[in-house]
Every structure is written in structure tokens, then in C-alpha cells.
């Protein structure tokens, strides 16, 4: 709703009231229209101020209304009513003016912003464009290049930048509403002819065609198949080439195309999924709303390799006191320098003071005796980690949480090394840890609800999206990834090339294909894990080279590692590079010969593999494993898996995540294609559709938000 009052005798005050961000729901829109009519009809009122309750102007449209039958006054006539008002209307922008909230502000004749306010058009992140005149008014106000930047990226600007661009008229460090009231009084008698943005001519720079051409090229490069950024460019183009009324019609046409697209549905699903994962639950019944986190003031990181350094930076930037431990003197010295550089770059980028004083370094594990929480980040070796957890259990104060950054080892096995296994949880960060948003919080069978709640809250304070998952080999992300990698190797054996597989995956929307990622990460990482699992041995020769147990196995990665081809670090892997450490992947003629020899040696005949098979073989087994994870109770719902894959593994956001993608393809089709490939490859267990997937497919592909009803039934019934 919107509350109306009169202040200072002659100023009508309209206050938006819809916590937490005063979104423009049907009730709020109706309230604005009603109160505007009232303010314009009262002769005592000479000017109007629009503000938001609780220090927030307006967060935009109410996304919960998307997909429902729209009620209340539409947004476009509402903003036209404000702009056409015969009395000056001033927007008092505190906190945020985003999306429809910024369109509301642009319809006002003046805009006063508090210095801490943020403004922007984030619609592109939801697969949309500003649909209430934003693409038509903003270019008329600040020009085409700046408008294209803000609208196609969704970038938010500070009040100072908004003032510099010309979006707002004044910025204040004082109360913005008081400043807006004073301003409204000062302009009460002024003509509004030059204040209605829709009447402005749109600036036409001489190199207009070049600007739009470059903008289109830029969005094609960065959007990776998302259609909204390019459609935003088209809408801004309409502002330049059409009169305002016709431009508005074009904006509405383009908005409608996006609103009804599968990508918009995927992005809006993901928007809610990212919020849903904070309402976590575990298989044993612990929940976010009944579990209280412990206070953490001082934390420690053990091991200052790449991951440990990133975790240390994340903790310090979040305001925690950190004890950073590295027992190797040389590594400790290098880590100090690296962490210092990361903190300096971060402080410069974020415009905040340095957090150097938050970190104390030590080469002794004894230094962690008084911390509230420890994160172990040593090399992925179970024996080493067990030793450290035994030490921590003896050194740390009672009640200290003991966390591990393992990417897939058994949390319960580590917990069994301690006197308090209920205080042990996994905190699986993703590299680089100070940049990547995802944190998998892994609970074992003995982890207490309090320990899970504390790790989840720690992640939130570090700016991470934390997802609670159960304990199994590889947890959620890496367990599913194994199936994806396995199929990629099999495709090479059958006739594909790394370039072909990567191209298909990149066209789907991944930032990098599977083989380029492998080269970047280092082929030796997976090789070491496979050797530890007993999968690599000179004993596997002849027919046994491609079988482990009863299942098909591809030794291609092992053979490359035996040649010293570890990827970018050695200048050769699945691709070749100009030099060790090179970044530009080029097809390697040596690899073509290697694959031909390998196929000949094993009696394999190369065949033509089409685009669709690459996509289905790589993605459907990964998705099937996701359903198995839901069936096993490792993840509570499909949203957990989708957030993990979008934030941690580069799954394209505009496709929602693997589980949402499966719902869009049709679960019955996923089952049918898996069965098709399983008949051809009966020795690949990952192609066998799991029970939960079959059950959901059999009940007519229910909407993804209804899957939990089936998942939560006793698992014996699946």
C-alpha cells in the first residue's frame, strides 16, 4: 500500500509500504494512483514527495506476481500519471531504487538521493528488460552509451555515480526525505515543461550505428546464449529511432517476448532457488528455523595453499580475526605476500579499508588454541587430514567448531578422529575461494544442528551462498561431475574431439567446455585421486584397460598424464598452449594421432557424433545422478542442486540449473534418452535412470516445486 500525509503545509507525502523493499505490488500501485489523485486534487498541496518506508525507496516489481493473473493498475499508466502531474513530484531515494523502482523515480520530475543509495536496472538478471519506460527514458536522460551499459548488465550504481551520469539531481548525506521536502517547496512554482523526460529528444551521437554494433557484439560475447541482454539493446535502439509513444510500444512488444520465454522462467526460478537454499534442512530433521548458530569472533585456517589463502582473505574481509597457519616456512612467506596482494586489490575494488590487521600468521598449529572455528585446507589426503583433526581435537578449546575444506572425502571419517564429532562439518569452498560465491556446507551423521547453522551463517557473513548437503563421496557437485567427465572421455573414445565436445557445451552456455576446464584445473589432480582409488595400475592392460569391475572405464586422462601432459601448467593437455602457463587453447595434432592410435589398439571404430548426442550424453547422466542424490537424501530439494551447479560449476544461469533444465526438457524424454544410450552402452551404470527420476516421469512431469512432495515420502516407496 501507499500512505498519504501532508508535511510542511504544502507538500503531499506518498510513502510506499511493502516490506522488505517496498516492491510495487498491486496494492502499492493502487495506493500510488489513489494518493497521487488525492495530492493533485488538494488545492493546499503545491508539490509532492514520493518515498519508501524504512529507508528503502523501492526494489521494483513484485516478482511473486509474475506468472499470476495481474491485478491492480498497470505500471506504465501509473508512471505516466506521475510524469503528467501538474504539480512537481520529487523522488526521495534512500537505500535502493531498482528496476520498476528506478522507473518510478524517472517518472518523477526531480530525484534526490541519499549518498548510500544504489540505483539500477537488474531486470536482465531475471531474463527481462525494464518494461515501464526504463529503456525509453534513461537514454533520453543520460545518453545511449551509459544507458546500454546499465540496462544490458544490470549493474547498480552509487548515488555519486548516478549524480555524475545525470540520473539524480542532488545527493545528500543527511535525511533524503527531509531534503526532498525542502527541495519540493523550492520548486513548487516552477514550470514542469523541461522536467518530463519522455518529452526530451534522445541524443544521437554521430557514431550511433557503431555504438549499437559494438553493444550487440559485447552482449553476444558475454551473454553465452542468454537472449535478454540483446533484447535490451533493441529496446534502447527504439528510444533513439522512434518517437517516445512508438518506442514505448516497441518496449512492450520486446518485454512480452522475454516475459513469455523459457529463459525468463529459468532465471526467475533461479532467483527464488537462491533464496530457498538458506531455509535448509537435513535428512535427520534439523532445520534453519530451529537451529541456533554459535557466535564466531575468531577463526583459523590450517594450510595456506591456493584454497587456504582465498579462505583467509574471505574471513578477513568479512571482519573476522584470523589465525593463518602454515607449517612450511617458505610456503608461509609466499602466502603472506599473496594474501596481502589479494587484500589490497579487494580493498581497492570495494572502496573499503584494508583488513591486514585482522590476520595473524603462524607456523605452529598450537596458535589455534583459542579460536571459535577452524577451517582445515591442507592437501586432499585423508591420512594427512586425519592427523590434523586429531591434533585440533587436542589443541582447540571445548566447543570450537572443526571444519574441513575437503572437496569430497568422508566427513564422518574425519569426525571420528575427534573427541567431539558433533562439532565437525565440511565447508567446501570453490576456487578462487575469495571470489567464488558458493559454499557447500557438508553435515555428517553426527554433525549437530548448531554446527551446521554456524557454518551456514559464517558463509553468509563471507558473502557466500551456502548450501547444506549430506555426506557422501564428492558431496553434490563433484559426485555429479564425475558422470559428466566420464561421458566426455567415452565420446572421445567413440570418435569425438575435445574441440567438438567443448564447442557443444559452450554453445549450450557453459563458460568453458569440459576439456578446457580440465586443462585449466590440471589433469594431474584427477589422476592423483584415481590412483588413490586404485583405478590406475600397470596391471590394467589389454581388454582390462577399459574395464574396472563390471563397468566401462576410460584411461585416456591417465595416459595423457603419463606423457606429462597436465594441461595449461605444462603447456599441453587436451589442447596445446604457446608455453607452460599459457591460456589460449589450440587444437593439438599430436592428440588426434594419439586418439587414432588408442582406438586402433582397442579395436574401436571412430564414428560421427552429432551435437545432440554430445549434449545428451554429457548432461543427462549428470542430471540422473542429481535425482539419485535427491533420492538418497543428500540434497533436500532440486533448488540446492541447481544453485550449486550455477554458482560452482558454470551451468548457464538462463537455463536454471540441471534439475530445472530436466523439467523443461521433460522428465519422460530424459528417461527415454538415458534408456536409449544404456541399451547401446550396458556397461555404463550411470545411464540407468534412477527410481526417483522414473517415478516423477511416470506422474506426468510435475512442476519442479512439487517434486519435494514425492521426494519426502518414505524412500522405500520410491
Amino acid at each position: 500500500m501507499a500512505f498519504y500525509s501532508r508535511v510542511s503545509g504544502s507538500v503531499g507525502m506518498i510513502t510506499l509500504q511493502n516490506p522488505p523493499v517496498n516492491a510495487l505490488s498491486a496494492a502499492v500501485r493502487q495506493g500510488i494512483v489513489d494518493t497521487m489523485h488525492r495530492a493533485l486534487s488538494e488545492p493546499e498541496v503545491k508539490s509532492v514527495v514520493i518515498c519508501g518506508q524504512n529507508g528503502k525507496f523501492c526494489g521494483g516489481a513484485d516478482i511473486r506476481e509474475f506468472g499470476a493473473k495481474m491485478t491492480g493498475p498497470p505500471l506504465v499508466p501509473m508512471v505516466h500519471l506521475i510524469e503528467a502531474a501538474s504539480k512537481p513530484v520529487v523522488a526521495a531515494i534512500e537505500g535502493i531504487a531498482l528496476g520498476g523502482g528506478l522507473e518510478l523515480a524517472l517518472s518523477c520530475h526531480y530525484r534526490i538521493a541519499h549518498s548510500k543509495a544504489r540505483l539500477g536496472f537488474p531486470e536482465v538478471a531475471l531474463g527481462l528488460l525494464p518494461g515501464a519506460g526504463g529503456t525509453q527514458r534513461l537514454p533520453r536522460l543520460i545518453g545511449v552509451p551509459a544507458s546500454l551499459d546499465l540496462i544490458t548488465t544490470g549493474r547498480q550504481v552509487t548515488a555519486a555515480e548516478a549524480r555524475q551520469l545525470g540520473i539524480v539531481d542532488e545527493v545528500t548525506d543527511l535525511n533524503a526525505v527531509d531534503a526532498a521536502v525542502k527541495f519540493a517547496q523550492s520548486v513548487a512554482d516552477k514550470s514542469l515543461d523541461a522536467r518530463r523526460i519522455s518529452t526530451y529528444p534522445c541524443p544521437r551521437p554521430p557514431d550511433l550505428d557503431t555504438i549499437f554494433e559494438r553493444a550487440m557484439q559485447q552482449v553476444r560475447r558475454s551473454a553465452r546464449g542468454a537472449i535478454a541482454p540483446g533484447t535490451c539493446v533493441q529496446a534502447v535502439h527504439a528510444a533513439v529511432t522512434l518517437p517516445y509513444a512508438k518506442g514505448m510500444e516497441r518496449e512492450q512488444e520486446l518485454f512480452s517476448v522475454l516475459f513469455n520465454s523459457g529463459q525468463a522462467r529459468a532465471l526467475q526460478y533461479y532467483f527464488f532457488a537462491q533464496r530457498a537454499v538458506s531455509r535448509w534442512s537435513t535428512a535427520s530433521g534439523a532445520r534453519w528455523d530451529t537451529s541456533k548458530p554459535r557466535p564466531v569472533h575468531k577463526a583459523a585456517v590450517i594450510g595456506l595453499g591456493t584454497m587456504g589463502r582465498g579462505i583467509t582473505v574471505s574471513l578477513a574481509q568479512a571482519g573476522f580475526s584470523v589465525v593463518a597457519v602454515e607449517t612450511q616456512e617458505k610456503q608461509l612467506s609466499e602466502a603472506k605476500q599473496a594474501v596481502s596482494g589479494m587484500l589490497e586489490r579487494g580493498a581497492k575494488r570495494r572502496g573499503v579499508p584494508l583488513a591486514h590487521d585482522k590476520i595473524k600468521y603462524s607456523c605452529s598449529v598450537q596458535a589455534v588454541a583459542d579460536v571459535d572455528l577452524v577451517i582445515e585446507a591442507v592437501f586432499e589426503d585423508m591420512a594427512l587430514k586425519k592427523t590434523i583433526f586429531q591434533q585440533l581435537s587436542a589443541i582447540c578449546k571445548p566447543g570450537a567448531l572443526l571444519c574441513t575444506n575437503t572437496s569430497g572425502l568422508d566427513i564422518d571419517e574425519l569426525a571420528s578422529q575427534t573427541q567431539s564429532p558433533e562439532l565437525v562439518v565440511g565447508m567446501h569452498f570453490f576456487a578462487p575461494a575469495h571470489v567464488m560465491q558458493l559454499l557447500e556446507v557438508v553435515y555428517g551423521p553426527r554433525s549437530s544442528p548448531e554446527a551446521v547453522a554456524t557454518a551456514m551463517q559464517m558463509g553468509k557473513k563471507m558473502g557466500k551462498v551456502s548450501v547444506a548437503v549430506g555426506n557422501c563421496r564428492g558431496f553434490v557437485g563433484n559426485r555429479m561431475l564425475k558422470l559428466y567427465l566420464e561421458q566426455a572421455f567415452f565420446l572421445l573414445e567413440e570418435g569425438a574431439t575435445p574441440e567438438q565436445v567443448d564447442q557443444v557445451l559452450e554453445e549450450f552456455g557453459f563458460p568453458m567446455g569440459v576439456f578446457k576446464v580440465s586443462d585449466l584445473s590440471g589433469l594431474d589432480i584427477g589422476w592423483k585421486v584415481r590412483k588413490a582409488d586404485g583405478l590406475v595400475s600397470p596391471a590394467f592392460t589389454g581388454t582390462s584397460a577399459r574395464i574396472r569391475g563390471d563397468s566401462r572405464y576410460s584411461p585416456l586422462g591417465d595416459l595423457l598424464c603419463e606423457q606429462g601432459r597436465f594441461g595449461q601448467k605444462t603447456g599441453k593437455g587436451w589442447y596445446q598452449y604457446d608455453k607452460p602457463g599459457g591460456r589460449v587453447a589450440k587444437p593439438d595434432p599430436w592428440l588426434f594421432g594419439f586418439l587414432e592410435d588408442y582406438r586402433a589398439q582397442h579395436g574401436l571404430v571412430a564414428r560421427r557424433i552429432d551435437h545432440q548426442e554430445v549434449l545428451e550424453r554429457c548432461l543427462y547422466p549428470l542430471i540422473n545422478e542429481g535425482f539419485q542424490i535427491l533420492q538418497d537424501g543428500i540434497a533436500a530439494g532440486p533448488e540446492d542442486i541447481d544453485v550449486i551447479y550455477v554458482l560452482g560449476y558454470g551451468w548457464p544461469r538462463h537455463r536454471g540449473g540441471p534439475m530445472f533444465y530436466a523439467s523443461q526438457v521433460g522428465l519422460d524424454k530424459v528417461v527415454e534418452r538415458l534408456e536409449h544410450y544404456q541399451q547401446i552402452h550396458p556397461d555404463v551404470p550411470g545411464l540407468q535412470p534412477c527410481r526417483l527420476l522414473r517415478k516423477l516421469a511416470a506422474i506426468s512431469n510435475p512442476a519442479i516445486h512439487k517434486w519435494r512432495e514425492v521426494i519426502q515420502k518414505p524412500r522405500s516407496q520410491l
Side-chain angles (χ1 to χ4, degrees):
M1 58 180 289
F3 177 74
Y4 181 75
S5 60
R6 196 156 359 124
V7 294
S8 302
S10 63
V11 179
M13 175 87 74
I14 297 172
T15 306
L16 313 189
Q17 296 180 326
N18 185 17
V21 295
N22 300 317
L24 293 166
S25 64
V28 171
R29 296 194 306 275
Q30 188 65 60
I32 292 171
V33 170
D34 292 345
T35 51
M36 271 304 298
H37 283 308
R38 181 173 170 186
L40 295 175
S41 67
E42 290 183 353
E44 301 88 349
V45 170
K46 305 299 180 191
S47 53
V48 181
V49 169
I50 301 179
C51 64
Q53 194 181 40
N54 297 329
K56 290 186 177 73
F57 179 67
C58 179
D62 190 340
I63 191 174
R64 290 168 299 186
E65 292 184 353
F66 289 9
K69 189 180 175 190
M70 294 296 276
T71 59
L75 203 49
V76 172
M78 185 194 85
V79 296
H80 283 154
L81 167 72
I82 293 166
E83 190 183 61
S86 56
K87 299 174 183 179
V89 183
V90 182
I93 301 171
E94 295 179 299
I96 51 173
L98 301 175
L102 182 51
E103 287 174 309
L104 171 64
L106 291 175
S107 72
C108 297
H109 307 117
Y110 300 94
R111 287 156 294 282
I112 309 298
H114 187 268
S115 55
K116 296 280 173 62
R118 291 177 293 114
L119 301 86
F121 283 125
E123 285 90 343
V124 71
L126 296 174
L128 301 172
L129 54 74
T135 67
Q136 303 305 296
R137 283 192 176 86
L138 194 66
R140 284 174 163 80
L141 186 64
I142 67 169
V144 170
S147 297
L148 284 169
D149 170 41
L150 295 189
I151 293 171
T152 62
T153 64
R155 185 171 75 83
Q156 295 177 19
V157 296
T158 61
E161 189 179 351
R163 176 76 184 89
Q164 196 178 5
L165 288 168
I167 298 173
V168 300
D169 300 289
E170 282 188 10
V171 175
T172 179
D173 289 322
L174 306 173
N175 185 297
V177 177
D178 291 346
V181 169
K182 278 185 189 166
F183 189 91
Q185 288 173 309
S186 73
V187 296
D189 300 323
K190 291 196 175 173
S191 167
L192 296 174
D193 291 346
R195 301 303 307 178
R196 296 185 177 100
I197 298 171
S198 69
T199 65
Y200 294 8
C202 194
R204 289 181 67 99
D207 56 345
L208 193 65
D209 291 342
T210 308
I211 289 170
F212 278 104
E213 216 172 281
R214 282 187 187 147
M216 253 328 175
Q217 286 170 356
Q218 172 62 31
V219 299
R220 282 197 193 107
R221 272 197 307 273
S222 58
R224 301 202 306 271
I227 57 174
T231 311
C232 288
V233 175
Q234 292 176 50
V236 173
H237 188 263
V240 188
T241 55
L242 298 173
Y244 175 76
K246 290 288 183 191
M248 282 299 295
E249 285 175 19
R250 182 69 176 138
E251 181 186 86
Q252 287 303 296
E253 285 167 18
L254 294 169
F255 180 85
S256 183
V257 168
L258 291 177
F259 189 81
N260 295 307
S261 69
Q263 289 194 7
R265 282 194 293 278
L267 286 159
Q268 287 155 35
Y269 156 80
Y270 181 76
F271 175 86
F272 286 114
Q274 211 171 295
R275 282 144 187 80
V277 297
S278 63
R279 300 188 291 276
W280 57 271
S281 61
T282 70
S284 62
R287 289 168 49 91
W288 65 281
D289 51 354
T290 56
S291 307
K292 191 179 175 188
R294 292 187 176 197
V296 175
H297 304 292
K298 192 173 185 181
V301 178
I302 310 283
L304 296 180
T306 304
M307 289 304 293
R309 295 170 190 182
I311 295 167
T312 300
V313 169
S314 289
L315 287 165
Q317 287 177 337
F320 294 101
S321 295
V322 189
V323 177
V325 177
E326 174 52 65
T327 55
Q328 306 293 320
E329 285 285 357
K330 183 171 180 287
Q331 181 92 319
L332 180 64
S333 174
E334 288 171 358
K336 279 183 188 176
Q337 199 173 345
V339 168
S340 177
M342 288 151 78
L343 285 170
E344 279 172 21
R345 289 189 295 275
K348 190 176 177 184
R349 189 176 61 251
R350 293 155 67 220
V352 295
L354 272 172
H356 282 309
D357 58 336
K358 292 282 180 188
I359 306 170
K360 290 197 171 95
Y361 294 93
S362 176
C363 55
S364 168
V365 179
Q366 297 291 334
V368 308
D370 65 338
V371 304
D372 305 307
L373 178 145
V374 183
I375 301 172
E376 165 275 307
V378 301
F379 196 76
E380 200 75 342
D381 179 280
M382 180 57 94
L384 175 60
K385 287 179 187 284
K386 277 183 173 180
T387 302
I388 287 169
F389 270 77
Q390 288 165 7
Q391 291 175 326
L392 292 175
S393 186
I395 293 166
C396 290
K397 68 183 183 184
L401 255 68
L402 308 181
C403 307
T404 173
N405 177 51
T406 178
S407 59
L409 298 178
D410 188 346
I411 301 295
D412 200 40
E413 198 174 334
L414 291 174
S416 68
Q417 307 302 307
T418 71
Q419 294 161 17
S420 304
E422 73 280 3
L423 297 176
V424 176
V425 289
M427 289 182 77
H428 176 211
F429 292 81
F430 288 72
H434 63 299
V435 175
M436 293 289 276
Q437 272 189 286
L438 180 65
L439 175 67
E440 272 184 319
V441 172
V442 190
Y443 58 87
R446 293 182 281 181
S447 303
S448 70
E450 190 180 39
V452 179
T454 305
M456 291 291 283
Q457 189 187 63
M458 284 282 288
K460 186 177 180 181
K461 286 183 177 175
M462 285 188 274
K464 308 294 182 193
V465 177
S466 306
V467 185
V469 300
N471 179 40
C472 66
R473 181 69 185 268
F475 314 137
V476 168
N478 285 340
R479 175 172 160 179
M480 290 168 67
L481 189 71
K482 183 173 179 289
L483 283 292
Y484 173 75
L485 293 168
E486 181 179 83
Q487 287 297 321
F489 289 175
F490 294 161
L491 287 165
L492 293 195
E493 291 187 341
E494 293 164 36
T497 63
E499 301 82 63
Q500 180 196 358
V501 174
D502 282 355
Q503 184 183 348
V504 170
L505 294 169
E506 286 166 19
E507 283 174 5
F508 179 77
F510 283 97
M512 294 174 82
V514 57
F515 293 107
K516 284 182 188 159
V517 170
S518 179
D519 274 0
L520 175 65
S521 306
L523 277 71
D524 52 321
I525 307 293
W527 190 38
K528 187 175 189 341
V529 172
R530 292 192 296 276
K531 284 200 280 192
D533 290 343
L535 296 173
V536 182
S537 164
F540 295 120
T541 56
T543 53
S544 70
R546 296 178 53 244
I547 295 287
R548 299 292 183 271
D550 297 325
S551 303
R552 180 176 169 183
Y553 177 83
S554 173
L556 285 174
D558 307 332
L559 295 171
L560 257 63
C561 287
E562 285 169 15
Q563 298 274 346
R565 296 175 69 100
F566 296 157
Q568 289 185 4
K569 64 177 82 170
T570 57
K572 288 175 184 174
W574 298 107
Y575 293 89
Q576 63 177 340
Y577 302 84
D578 289 338
K579 59 184 180 187
R583 290 280 184 263
V584 180
K586 294 174 187 166
D588 190 343
W590 178 90
L591 192 82
F592 298 149
F594 163 76
L595 288 172
E596 281 181 0
D597 293 347
Y598 173 86
R599 292 179 196 123
Q601 183 187 345
H602 293 284
L604 299 168
V605 179
R607 61 184 176 85
R608 186 183 167 276
I609 296 171
D610 65 20
H611 178 287
Q612 195 61 25
E613 182 177 351
V614 172
L615 209 54
E616 291 174 348
R617 291 272 300 276
C618 287
L619 301 188
Y620 290 1
L622 175 147
I623 286 165
N624 187 41
E625 192 65 21
F627 280 100
Q628 186 65 54
I629 282 166
L630 291 174
Q631 185 178 308
D632 295 345
I634 298 298
E639 300 88 350
D640 300 297
I641 294 172
D642 285 338
V643 168
I644 285 169
Y645 257 79
V646 169
L647 289 182
Y649 295 85
W651 186 280
R653 198 176 294 232
H654 61 270
R655 296 190 186 272
M659 311 315 282
F660 183 85
Y661 176 69
S663 75
Q664 296 299 94
V665 168
L667 302 187
D668 50 350
K669 185 182 175 189
V670 174
V671 168
E672 184 264 312
R673 297 311 292 160
L674 283 168
E675 287 175 338
H676 166 77
Y677 292 120
Q678 208 216 356
Q679 283 179 348
I680 301 168
H681 309 286
D683 53 354
V684 181
L687 294 171
Q688 171 72 44
C690 84
R691 286 200 313 277
L692 175 61
L693 172 54
R694 286 188 186 280
K695 188 175 179 81
L696 286 165
I699 50 178
S700 305
N701 200 36
I704 194 166
H705 64 271
K706 294 190 173 173
W707 291 5
R708 283 182 191 247
E709 294 168 20
V710 178
I711 296 164
Q712 285 165 358
K713 288 179 180 173
R715 291 194 162 77
S716 59
Q717 294 177 21
L718 290 176

